Amino acid sequence: MKNNLFFNSNKSLKKCQCLLHVDAKNKASILAICVLLLFGLGGCAYINPFASSVPEYDLDGMHDLSLIMMPGDSVIFEMRNPGSGGYQFDGITFDPKLVNLEKFQILKPESGMVGDFGRWRFEFKLLAIGEVPIIINIKRANDSQRDAYKIISLNITKDGEPFFEW
């Protein structure tokens, strides 16, 4: 009496062995395909468009944001222009020893609808280690009291953001 499990598995191993057998004329083409895949996939990693991109944060719907980053990094904050509520931009408060405002851009409204005043876009470069709040201020056109529209708390450390948190 034969052991059916052993007999069946032995048959399937012989079939797999036949499938894996490569004759001499196909070895060169398989090697060429492997080399092309190796260089092709390596090239895709080399031209990764996200490898050197600057992190962007959309601040719509939030008032506070806390980030941990490293010196030398850049960061972009984008938000809705609050002009529809009768507000106007009234400057940014930050420590120039720790961060530098690289760009400030007012983006035109895309919808063309009444009340869409476009978007604001700020790019900062982090200069040194420390903790710094970035406060984007607004005020009403005929008022002297300024309000904090967005508050970004930056913790600039040597190691940057932790890989994972418990």
Side-chain angles (χ1 to χ4, degrees), residues 55-91:
E56 294 187 33
Y57 294 91
D58 186 355
L59 299 178
D60 288 346
M62 64 176 70
H63 179 66
D64 299 327
L65 176 68
S66 296
L67 296 174
I68 300 172
M69 300 186 82
M70 295 179 7
D73 287 349
S74 292
V75 63
I76 295 174
F77 302 110
E78 188 175 307
M79 66 209 69
R80 181 183 60 81
N81 181 341
S84 62
Y87 289 95
Q88 61 187 17
F89 178 68
D90 194 39

Side-chain angles (χ1 to χ4, degrees), residues 29-54:
S29 61
I30 290 175
L31 180 64
I33 290 171
C34 289
V35 168
L36 287 174
L37 281 173
L38 179 70
F39 285 113
L41 294 176
C44 290
Y46 180 71
I47 59 170
N48 181 1
F50 302 108
S52 64
S53 66
V54 176

Side-chain angles (χ1 to χ4, degrees), residues 22-160:
V22 179
D23 30 345
K25 62 181 178 181
N26 290 334
K27 284 183 182 179
S29 61
I30 290 175
L31 180 64
I33 290 171
C34 289
V35 168
L36 287 174
L37 281 173
L38 179 70
F39 285 113
L41 294 176
C44 290
Y46 180 71
I47 59 170
N48 181 1
F50 302 108
S52 64
S53 66
V54 176
E56 294 187 33
Y57 294 91
D58 186 355
L59 299 178
D60 288 346
M62 64 176 70
H63 179 66
D64 299 327
L65 176 68
S66 296
L67 296 174
I68 300 172
M69 300 186 82
M70 295 179 7
D73 287 349
S74 292
V75 63
I76 295 174
F77 302 110
E78 188 175 307
M79 66 209 69
R80 181 183 60 81
N81 181 341
S84 62
Y87 289 95
Q88 61 187 17
F89 178 68
D90 194 39
I92 303 175
T93 306
F94 60 90
D95 185 354
K97 295 176 191 165
L98 298 179
V99 294
N100 183 36
L101 178 62
E102 297 285 311
K103 294 178 191 171
F104 170 57
Q105 196 174 17
I106 298 174
L107 304 174
K108 303 243 186 248
E110 295 177 0
S111 68
M113 299 187 65
V114 176
D116 184 1
F117 285 81
R119 301 186 64 75
W120 293 341
R121 189 173 170 88
F122 302 91
E123 182 175 344
F124 289 93
K125 176 90 170 179
L126 311 179
L127 304 174
I129 293 175
E131 291 187 29
V132 59
I134 297 174
I135 303 170
I136 299 168
N137 300 301
I138 59 174
K139 71 175 186 174
R140 293 212 182 261
N142 55 0
D143 199 359
S144 62
Q145 177 67 32
R146 73 174 17 179
D147 295 322
Y149 180 49
K150 304 289 180 182
I151 301 172
I152 300 118
S153 300
L154 285 177
N155 186 2
I156 307 168
T157 64
K158 183 178 83 170
D159 301 324

